[in-house]
Amino acid sequence: MLLFLNDYASALTRQLLYRSKETSLQDKAQLVTSSFSGVDTLTPENTAQVISVLGDLNVTRVLIVDGEGCALYDSLTQRSAVGKFVLLREVAEAMAGQNVFYSRYADGLLTSYAAVPIYLYDSPIGCVYISDVDEDLGEIIQSLERNIARISLGMELLMVLCSLAFALASSRKMHKILASMDLAREGEYNHKIQMHGTDEYGRLAGEFNKLTDRLQASEQAQRQFVSDASHELKTPLASIKLLSDSILQNDMDAETMREFVADIGSEADRLTRMAQKLLALTKAESVKEGEQKEADHEVVDLSRVIGQVFKMLIPLADQREISLRCTMEKDCTVLSMEDDMYQIIFNLVENAVKYNKDGGLVHVRLGHQDDEITVEVEDTGVGIPEDAAAHVFERFYRVDKARSRQAGGSGLGLSIVHDLVKRNFGEITLRHRPEGGTIFTVTFPYFDVEVEE
């Protein structure tokens, strides 16, 4: 590329100097031809007279040729062409009626040739031939070419240095990124790449830092989950251990032993429920939102699902004289997995029953509005404090730990509901009843089922 620019600049410079030289020689040739205006015939006498009047033209050679191509005047004293026929291409072209100019540069010299016809009544009767060897312009061209070559060489060196500097900078940045990736692979997610700029390396470093932040948050969540799960599992296991040791170490009557064994069974059931919920939560996380296979989806009528949930929870509600009420609209269908819908509604209604007041009310509303299906679960229980509303969907979070343990809660139900709702493209919110209690609202996209008539 630089060689091309060098050649182009050199050619352009020569062209400009050629034009300047052409103008100069053409003007001098025209001056000579105009001096022969009104001359009928070119002779050595009138030719010498014109040259004497014009004086020195400051050129290397001047030839005046008649119509036969014979030289009438030659400014060269040695090897003069006077009286001889001139066989030059420029002269032949000028005798044909053309203004001719040629230039060539070689060995630091600019040699130029010009030939102009002399007319008599629009017919050429001879021509003026001028040649000039210009050392000054040749030196100028030579100097310019040397300068252009130096500039080109300097630019090439600069480009090489810039390329080398860019390569070294890129190599350092890539080395820093690779070293950071090695640290992240070893588990040091708190390491960050300090790299400024908006180029590809800067963007890559930014994405790496975002990834490590997510990995760090995920690792922290995993550690917290393991810690919380261990803590929750430790309590029923400790109870079972204490009860079994009491049976083995103490003499007790059959009635007391049956009570202890019943308590052991209750704690075992609690462990079973907790394990089932942990498995459900893991299953919900294993399938990310939007990655379910289309074959897993089916058209689910939520009114039928609510009927199945009520059938299962009526015995639990009757134990505390809690009323289950349902208000449903027709044509409330979604495209989802029926097991997910059942578990979502079952957990919400079960919580509404467990944490309600004796003789309270659980009201489930199923509605269809525009392109959404809405499920509301309202209870008349003790409600959820304002400061706890933002945490109820977190794992193992319980508003009242003593009440939750008494009700057999593990703090996983609402977390499972939240993940399943998100997995099925829905949203879940909660709000407080002015009279006391809580209303959970779940919305899903409506799926229209066409019925053939």
Side-chain angles (χ1 to χ4, degrees):
M1 184 65 181
L2 289 177
L3 292 176
F4 171 76
L5 293 176
N6 185 14
D7 293 340
Y8 177 77
S10 179
L12 181 62
T13 302
R14 290 186 185 183
Q15 189 68 24
L16 292 175
L17 293 176
Y18 290 170
R19 290 289 179 86
S20 174
K21 193 64 178 179
E22 177 184 4
T23 302
S24 175
L25 290 185
Q26 289 282 5
D27 289 344
K28 292 178 180 181
Q30 290 291 345
L31 177 63
V32 176
T33 57
S34 64
S35 300
F36 287 99
S37 60
V39 176
D40 295 335
T41 305
L42 295 177
T43 63
E45 292 77 12
N46 57 23
T47 300
Q49 183 180 1
V50 168
I51 293 300
S52 64
V53 173
L54 293 176
D56 187 11
L57 296 178
N58 195 25
V59 293
T60 302
R61 186 180 188 184
V62 178
L63 274 175
I64 298 177
V65 183
D66 63 11
E68 300 297 329
C70 181
L72 301 176
Y73 172 80
D74 190 350
S75 62
L76 292 179
T77 56
Q78 296 180 355
R79 299 177 62 184
S80 175
V82 175
K84 299 177 182 178
F85 289 98
V86 181
L87 302 178
L88 296 175
R89 184 182 66 175
E90 294 84 358
V91 173
E93 292 179 355
M95 294 300 291
Q98 300 179 17
N99 291 338
V100 183
F101 176 80
Y102 292 104
S103 286
R104 65 182 178 83
Y105 170 77
D107 300 328
L109 298 176
L110 178 63
T111 305
S112 304
Y113 310 89
V116 179
I118 301 173
Y119 286 99
L120 177 64
Y121 304 116
D122 297 331
S123 296
I125 60 173
C127 74
V128 176
Y129 170 84
I130 298 177
S131 66
D132 188 35
V133 179
D134 197 327
E135 295 182 0
D136 294 335
L137 285 179
E139 290 180 359
I140 292 174
I141 293 175
Q142 193 174 34
S143 176
L144 286 173
E145 288 185 345
R146 285 197 300 266
N147 291 335
I148 292 174
R150 293 192 188 100
I151 293 173
S152 299
L153 180 60
M155 292 180 64
E156 290 178 356
L157 292 176
L158 181 61
M159 289 185 63
V160 170
L161 292 176
C162 290
S163 300
L164 182 61
F166 177 77
L168 291 176
S170 300
S171 178
R172 285 196 298 269
K173 291 180 179 180
M174 182 56 68
H175 179 73
K176 184 182 293 186
I177 292 174
L178 292 176
S180 300
M181 292 176 66
D182 291 337
L183 292 175
R185 185 170 61 248
E186 295 173 0
E188 296 185 21
Y189 302 137
N190 59 343
H191 177 75
K192 297 293 181 291
I193 301 177
Q194 302 298 329
M195 188 176 297
H196 303 287
T198 57
D199 57 0
E200 289 78 3
Y201 293 103
R203 294 174 57 187
L204 181 60
E207 294 299 324
F208 175 84
N209 291 337
K210 292 179 182 178
L211 178 61
T212 53
D213 287 340
R214 293 181 61 183
L215 290 174
Q216 189 174 9
S218 177
E219 184 182 37
Q220 182 64 29
Q222 183 179 6
R223 289 177 179 174
Q224 186 64 39
F225 176 78
V226 172
S227 175
D228 293 342
S230 300
H231 176 75
E232 295 297 327
L233 292 173
K234 181 174 64 177
T235 301
L237 288 174
S239 298
I240 292 174
K241 175 66 174 174
L242 179 62
L243 292 170
S244 60
D245 288 344
S246 299
I247 293 175
L248 293 175
Q249 296 175 5
N250 298 289
D251 294 332
M252 56 184 66
D253 55 33
E255 183 66 25
T256 304
M257 184 176 294
R258 279 195 296 270
E259 291 181 3
F260 275 47
V261 172
D263 291 339
I264 292 174
S266 178
E267 293 297 329
D269 291 339
R270 183 179 169 196
L271 279 174
T272 301
R273 289 193 300 271
M274 188 178 298
Q276 290 175 346
K277 289 188 177 182
L278 287 172
L279 289 174
L281 189 60
T282 303
K283 180 181 177 182
E285 288 181 340
S286 65
V287 183
K288 296 180 180 179
E289 180 179 347
E291 292 186 356
Q292 301 98 322
K293 296 182 179 179
E294 188 175 351
D296 293 338
H297 291 76
E298 57 184 329
V299 179
V300 179
D301 185 358
L302 293 185
S303 60
R304 182 169 58 84
V305 175
I306 293 174
Q308 294 174 351
V309 171
F310 272 37
K311 183 178 180 181
M312 294 296 297
L313 292 178
I314 284 176
L316 179 64
D318 288 344
Q319 292 177 4
R320 300 174 55 197
E321 297 181 353
I322 295 175
S323 301
L324 296 181
R325 184 183 302 172
C326 184
T327 304
M328 296 187 293
E329 297 181 3
K330 297 181 179 179
D331 190 25
C332 292
T333 54
V334 296
L335 186 64
S336 177
M337 289 180 280
E338 187 168 357
D339 289 344
D340 288 354
M341 294 297 104
Y342 180 86
Q343 194 162 8
I344 290 169
I345 298 174
F346 183 90
N347 283 346
L348 291 177
V349 177
E350 183 186 32
N351 282 349
V353 172
K354 284 183 177 181
Y355 303 108
N356 210 326
K357 298 177 181 179
D358 293 340
L361 171 67
V362 176
H363 192 178
V364 179
R365 299 180 183 87
L366 175 63
H368 174 203
Q369 183 177 5
D370 297 332
D371 294 331
E372 290 185 342
I373 299 296
T374 303
V375 180
E376 283 188 356
V377 179
E378 178 182 0
D379 65 73
T380 58
V382 296
I384 298 175
E386 293 286 348
D387 57 346
H391 304 284
V392 294
F393 297 115
E394 297 176 2
R395 299 170 185 175
F396 299 107
Y397 183 83
R398 290 180 293 205
V399 178
D400 186 343
K401 294 185 179 181
R403 181 179 175 86
S404 296
R405 291 184 186 278
Q406 184 179 2
S410 61
L412 292 172
L414 289 179
S415 178
I416 294 173
V417 169
H418 180 268
D419 289 352
L420 291 178
V421 169
K422 291 293 183 181
R423 169 178 164 177
N424 289 277
F425 317 106
E427 296 289 337
I428 181 169
T429 58
L430 66 90
R431 66 181 188 273
H432 305 279
R433 292 179 72 249
E435 304 85 358
T438 309
I439 302 176
F440 284 89
T441 303
V442 185
T443 58
F444 296 104
Y446 169 64
F447 185 79
D448 189 13
V449 180
E450 296 182 359
V451 180
E452 297 183 358
E453 297 182 357

